[in-house]
Amino acid sequence: PQPDEPQPPVLPSRPLPGQICDVVRSERPRSCCGMAMAGLRTAKYQMPEWHRRNRGVYYNAFKVGEQAERGRAEAKQLVKHAASSAQRAQEYSKSTLGQRLQDIEFWRMELQKEIMELDAETNLLAAQKLRLERALDATEVPYAVVIDNLECRERRQPPDLVIDEVERQLLKEADLIRDIRDLLKRTIIQATTQIRSNRIQKENCELDWSDKVQTYHIDDKCISYCTDSTNVQSHPSSLKFEENASTPKSWAQFSHANISRAEQEKLASVQLRSLINSIIHDASEDLRLQCGATAEAFHSHCRLLEQAKFQLEKHLEQILKDIGEEEANVVKLKKAIRDKEAYLKVAQTRLYDRSFRPNVELCRDEPQFRLVKEVEELTVFLEALKRKLMESEQNLKNLEETRMKLEKEIAVKANSIFIDRQKCMGYRLRYPVDLEVASYK
């Protein structure tokens, strides 16, 4: 507020005493002669009247001069006071404009600083959002690898088509990757929203900053005006205040509110960037650990398969050896049967030929009993050999069936090992387990 300026002193006006010029009537006796000269006497003043009238003229002249002198003194004092007051008022207005320029410059610098910081923070958040998108893209290969592993392992043959630890780890890995992808997508949406909020608040600050710059130029031009300026003119209508004009308090609160909201958005952006770092780091660590667990399950299962295949191969080797021995045994039994049949034929032929002995010669002698006993013994041996041959042939058949089963099992194990080691584990070499590194590529 502008202080009260001292008013110029005003000399009090006092009314001058009035002078009444009274004409003294002549007391001389009238005569007839006077009547004749009345017209000449009535048009003239008497000497006292003349003196009184002169004194009245002098007094009036003195009074007018005194009033004029007092008016000149007052005018001189008023001119001097008006000049000093106008000079002080102009200097005070210039001082207030200078202070106003400082206030505008302060808020302009604060807004400019906030705009630059918010713009830098938005760029950092945009870089983090790009990391999220790259990490999301990097999860496509692991997910495809896991799905391919599950599909490949569906081509295992029974009885190896089981729900083993490898399948449980692969299913767990697929669920983990899906959860990570969903989390990355939600965080990307959150980052996009925050970037939009940052840019909106930055635009608000830029509009306020632009108004401050324009206002600074206007007030800076106003502070340069003086009485010698050639570009000043009268604007009587400029005295009124605009209805939508702000107060100094609301003016400062407006910029403070813009800066406060910008600080809030910047803080939220910083926190979101920290959250993004944690999400990418934790997701990469979880995926690395799960990949290691799945790889360990693969290695353990492959070792188990190879051990089972090795045991089957050892059994197959023994079975093949047994088959060879059993085949040789069958050959021996057949040869033994043939040999015994030859002995039997000899004995039976001897008995047959001796049955043609004539008359009393057809005797039950010792050779006859010996040949009959020989035939009986040979028949028993032949029956035993034939039974043993049948057992050996059945054993040989069982060995052949076992051999086929073992060979099939070995083929199944070889197929399972090929699927797990060559197909699955070979394909998993392309697995980018470090999402944190992949997010920078």
Side-chain angles (χ1 to χ4, degrees), residues 56-84:
V57 171
Y58 298 155
Y59 180 77
N60 288 333
F62 175 77
K63 180 180 69 173
V64 171
E66 187 180 29
Q67 288 180 349
E69 183 179 1
R70 185 169 58 251
R72 287 193 302 272
E74 292 176 356
K76 181 179 179 181
Q77 186 68 22
L78 181 61
V79 168
K80 181 179 179 181
H81 177 73
S84 62

Side-chain angles (χ1 to χ4, degrees), residues 228-331:
D228 296 332
S229 299
T230 59
N231 53 346
V232 295
Q233 54 185 345
S234 298
H235 296 281
S237 61
S238 63
L239 293 175
K240 65 179 181 179
F241 287 103
E242 299 293 336
E243 294 181 357
N244 58 348
S246 62
T247 62
K249 183 178 180 180
S250 63
W251 173 80
Q253 286 178 346
F254 180 78
S255 297
H256 183 270
N258 282 333
I259 293 175
S260 177
R261 286 191 295 268
E263 286 288 339
Q264 293 176 359
E265 296 297 339
K266 186 171 66 175
L267 179 61
S269 180
V270 171
Q271 293 175 348
L272 182 57
R273 282 196 298 112
S274 177
L275 177 63
I276 290 172
N277 281 330
S278 299
I279 287 174
I280 293 177
H281 175 74
D282 294 344
S284 178
E285 187 67 16
D286 292 343
L287 194 59
R288 185 185 64 82
L289 293 176
Q290 183 57 41
C291 179
T294 306
E296 180 60 30
F298 266 114
H299 286 296
S300 178
H301 189 65
C302 286
R303 287 194 298 268
L304 187 62
L305 287 173
E306 289 174 346
Q307 184 179 0
K309 180 173 175 289
F310 177 74
Q311 293 294 332
L312 289 171
E313 288 173 346
K314 286 182 64 177
H315 285 293
L316 179 61
E317 183 180 354
Q318 183 62 40
I319 290 296
L320 291 174
K321 183 179 179 181
D322 293 340
I323 288 174
E325 293 177 354
E326 197 65 36
E327 287 177 346
N329 186 43
V330 169
V331 171

Side-chain angles (χ1 to χ4, degrees), residues 62 84 152 183 185 264 407 436 440:
F62 175 77
S84 62
C152 284
L183 177 61
K185 288 178 182 178
Q264 293 176 359
E407 289 177 347
E436 197 166 8
Y440 286 106

